[in-house]
Amino acid sequence: MSRESSTFKKRIATMRWLLPLIFALMAIIYELSVARWIHDIYGDAVHFIVEILFFSTAGPFLAFLTLNQISRWLEEKELAESQARASDRRLASITSASADAIIGVDKRGKIESWNRGAELLFGYFAKDIQGRSFSSLFQAGTAVDVETSWLEEVALEEGFVRGHETVCLDFGGHRIDVEMTATSLRDDENNPIGMSIVLRDITNRKRREEEIRRLNASLNQQVADRTRELAEKLEELAQANSALQKLDEMRSEFVSLVSHQLRAPLTNMSGAVQRIKVDCSIINPTCNRMLQILEQQTLRLERLVQEVLNTARLEAGELILQLEPVSVLPVVQQIIDQVQARTDNHTIRLTEKPGLPMVFTDRDRMSEVLANLLDNAVKYSPPGSEVTIDVRADQTELSVSVRDCGPGVPEAELERIFDKYYRVDSSDSQIAYGYGLGLYVCRLLAEAQGGRVWAENHRDHGAVFSFSLPVWQGEHV
Ligand code: ADP
């Protein structure tokens, strides 16, 4: 509040009491001196009393009301002015404290006001830049003239320009990316008097956008490269696939050749051998030896054909299993008899636990697995040694183990001997005839029936090969 207005207010306040008092005194004096004389002339006592009362109260009261109203108007005016001043101050402090550059430009384009944000952004002090042209903040050239006149035009027409991105120069001539909002200012008669311009530094944002653009471009390039590589790989894969299909067709043809063209002559050959053994009573010793060799080699070939066929069918998923509850011991005994008939050099012994359950299996496939393990035990153990078969079971699994008195299997190879075509690289296995398919077929057959097969070495000596099958959850033997 200014000092003059405060004094004036005090005076009005004093007058509010003083003036009615003076009026009242004057009225009383008037009534007691001048009016008394006039009323004496008229001799109207009633009129006199009424006048004395009226002048000494109504006049001062009216004066009091008038002054009181004036005093109230003054107070209201005072309050409005102080609120306006506070709002101006707030606005000024917001403007000056703003991190954005807020610039006032007159209608000739000259800079009038320049806040702290503008000082920090451009490096000019307000006193140095005020009065200079707003376009001096841009790089000189026709483009700038076009841009500033466009800015003025749009701001005048529409009242403001918002979010216009452009480039300014700071005190040191460095480029600053800014986002500009310009608002046209007008006086009370709606005549343009300039513009208020807010500039926000977006250099970092622009840098990040540029970075993202570059990353995107490089990503797109990488995606294009990978897509091309993928297409090439797909092409290679398609070629490899068609080669594989051809191979598969060849395999099928081979399997069919083996099964039809080799099995039949082999069966005939082994039948002929059996016939000679039974029918020809007189054979000289040399022929007898040759016959034995013939029988062994025919059997070996039959086994090879069987294993090749099994492998092909198992791998192609074409092997059909006839699963049924099977009593194990008769099958085991049958296989023992068959293998024993082929060897005079080994003794095969069966040990069994009583009360064995039945297994749920394919009888022929189980026989093949056992025959294979038994043949190996005979093949890889010294002549005259014993081969022991142990059959045992728990609630869920029945296992058959074949133990021999051979050299056993090196610990590191116990798993790998079940791989296709895998043979232990030792003199014994090199001497023994084989092609590394037997155990592989055993594994596939056991697994196809829900069982497993494994090898270990006996703590004394020799190898123990076992397979297990699921117990049939029905009646026991
Ligand atoms: P192979 O036709 O060579 O006998 P297998 O798959 O039946 O093929 O056996 C794979 C390899 O496992 C054999 O070459 C041999 O080295 C080893 N092997 C198999 N059974 C025995 C065994 N009872 N004792 C020692 N080694 C064995």
Side-chain angles (χ1 to χ4, degrees):
M1 196 196 317
S2 69
R3 217 151 63 88
E4 293 83 36
S5 115
S6 155
T7 319
F8 183 66
K9 232 180 103 186
K10 272 185 199 152
R11 277 185 195 149
I12 290 285
T14 316
M15 292 294 280
R16 196 165 47 173
W17 299 105
L18 197 62
L19 211 62
L21 206 66
I22 292 168
F23 278 0
L25 280 173
M26 278 171 66
I28 291 166
I29 293 166
Y30 164 76
E31 292 299 335
L32 292 177
S33 53
V34 185
R36 184 178 236 283
W37 174 75
I38 294 169
H39 290 295
D40 273 352
I41 293 172
Y42 294 112
D44 186 349
V46 175
H47 184 228
F48 173 67
I49 289 165
V50 169
E51 200 175 90
I52 212 166
L53 280 174
F54 179 77
F55 282 123
S56 61
T57 55
F61 184 66
L62 274 175
F64 172 78
L65 279 181
T66 312
L67 287 168
N68 201 30
Q69 187 57 42
I70 290 171
S71 164
R72 198 171 295 154
W73 286 338
L74 280 173
E75 267 171 18
E76 281 170 5
K77 181 169 169 267
E78 187 70 38
L79 186 69
E81 278 175 1
S82 101
Q83 279 173 348
R85 272 195 303 278
S87 152
D88 281 355
R89 266 201 307 279
R90 236 187 343 262
L91 207 63
S93 66
I94 288 170
T95 307
S96 74
S98 167
D100 293 333
I102 301 175
I103 303 167
V105 175
D106 69 12
K107 64 178 177 188
R108 290 169 303 134
K110 302 278 181 219
I111 295 170
E112 274 184 339
S113 64
W114 183 261
N115 76 336
R116 176 94 185 109
E119 286 185 351
L120 290 171
L121 185 61
F122 290 97
Y124 293 104
F125 287 115
K127 64 180 170 45
D128 299 329
I129 193 90
Q130 272 162 349
R132 276 169 61 177
S133 164
F134 175 66
S135 59
S136 67
L137 295 175
F138 298 86
Q139 197 159 29
T142 43
V144 170
D145 296 338
V146 171
E147 189 173 359
T148 42
S149 56
W150 167 83
L151 200 68
E152 277 169 28
E153 222 170 85
V154 178
L156 270 178
E157 255 176 40
E158 296 178 13
F160 60 85
V161 172
R162 186 180 288 153
H164 172 62
E165 289 182 8
T166 183
V167 178
C168 292
L169 294 181
D170 71 359
F171 180 73
H174 304 114
R175 290 163 56 93
I176 316 169
D177 288 296
V178 290
E179 186 185 86
M180 181 189 291
T181 297
T183 311
S184 168
L185 303 175
R186 289 172 186 274
D187 62 12
D188 294 342
E189 275 82 44
N190 204 28
N191 298 316
I193 53 167
M195 281 195 294
S196 110
I197 296 170
V198 180
L199 298 170
R200 173 164 293 175
D201 184 1
I202 54 165
T203 312
N204 284 339
R205 194 182 87 194
K206 280 276 171 196
R207 207 172 293 146
R208 279 197 297 274
E209 280 172 4
E210 184 53 35
E211 186 75 3
I212 289 168
R213 243 195 310 278
R214 248 178 351 91
L215 276 173
N216 270 343
S218 115
L219 261 177
N220 286 342
Q221 185 57 40
Q222 282 181 20
V223 169
D225 290 350
R226 295 287 168 278
T227 312
R228 203 184 47 250
E229 282 171 20
L230 216 68
E232 286 166 12
K233 291 274 177 298
L234 268 176
E235 177 64 24
E236 283 171 22
L237 260 176
Q239 283 171 7
N241 198 22
S242 92
L244 269 176
Q245 272 173 358
K246 273 194 196 120
L247 271 177
D248 197 48
E249 280 163 22
M250 280 165 67
R251 185 189 62 82
S252 298
E253 280 168 22
F254 174 71
V255 170
S256 129
L257 178 89
V258 169
S259 61
H260 297 112
Q261 308 301 324
L262 279 181
R263 271 177 110 191
L266 273 174
T267 314
N268 292 342
M269 277 164 69
S270 85
V273 169
Q274 295 308 320
R275 191 73 188 272
I276 294 171
K277 276 173 80 177
V278 174
D279 291 353
C280 304
S281 47
I282 307 161
I283 306 174
N284 69 31
T286 313
C287 285
N288 203 22
R289 228 179 38 253
M290 293 303 122
L291 202 62
Q292 271 179 7
I293 294 172
L294 201 61
E295 187 181 19
Q296 275 174 8
Q297 297 306 315
T298 314
L299 264 174
R300 191 178 282 176
L301 266 178
E302 273 179 343
R303 247 186 88 187
L304 171 63
V305 169
Q306 188 57 40
E307 280 173 1
V308 169
L309 276 175
N310 275 345
T311 309
R313 283 185 189 145
L314 280 164
E315 286 177 348
E318 289 166 1
L319 192 87
I320 298 160
L321 294 171
Q322 306 285 336
L323 294 174
E324 56 183 341
V326 174
S327 191
V328 175
L329 283 179
V331 182
V332 172
Q333 193 55 59
Q334 190 187 352
I335 302 299
I336 291 175
D337 294 345
Q338 282 173 12
V339 177
Q340 187 71 79
R342 294 202 289 266
T343 171
D344 300 331
N345 295 326
H346 292 82
T347 316
I348 304 174
R349 195 162 57 83
L350 171 66
T351 64
E352 71 197 72
K353 302 280 170 301
L356 288 171
M358 289 177 111
V359 286
F360 195 60
T361 188
D362 180 318
R363 186 187 298 270
D364 292 343
R365 303 304 166 198
M366 186 190 83
S367 304
E368 271 177 48
V369 174
L370 180 59
N372 225 316
L373 298 185
L374 216 47
D375 276 339
N376 274 354
V378 168
K379 192 160 72 172
Y380 293 105
S381 63
S385 62
E386 191 177 67
V387 174
T388 319
I389 299 178
D390 182 44
V391 187
R392 60 182 66 204
D394 60 20
Q395 296 295 313
T396 55
E397 218 178 44
L398 180 140
S399 62
V400 180
S401 300
V402 179
R403 186 201 158 190
D404 61 48
C405 297
V409 180
E411 288 293 321
E413 317 269 1
L414 283 170
E415 291 279 335
R416 297 189 64 193
I417 51 173
F418 293 97
D419 290 351
K420 195 174 179 181
Y421 302 127
Y422 192 81
R423 304 197 76 210
V424 176
D425 191 12
S426 70
S427 54
D428 283 341
S429 14
Q430 295 316 311
I431 291 164
Y433 173 84
Y435 27 84
L437 267 182
L439 289 181
Y440 174 66
V441 171
C442 285
R443 177 162 69 82
L444 295 187
L445 282 175
E447 285 173 1
Q449 297 175 82
R452 59 199 174 96
V453 60
W454 68 97
E456 53 206 326
N457 286 313
H458 196 271
R459 61 178 176 282
D460 297 335
H461 64 278
V464 185
F465 281 80
S466 313
F467 68 93
S468 70
L469 292 168
V471 164
W472 183 55
Q473 301 300 328
E475 64 194 71
H476 284 54
V477 179

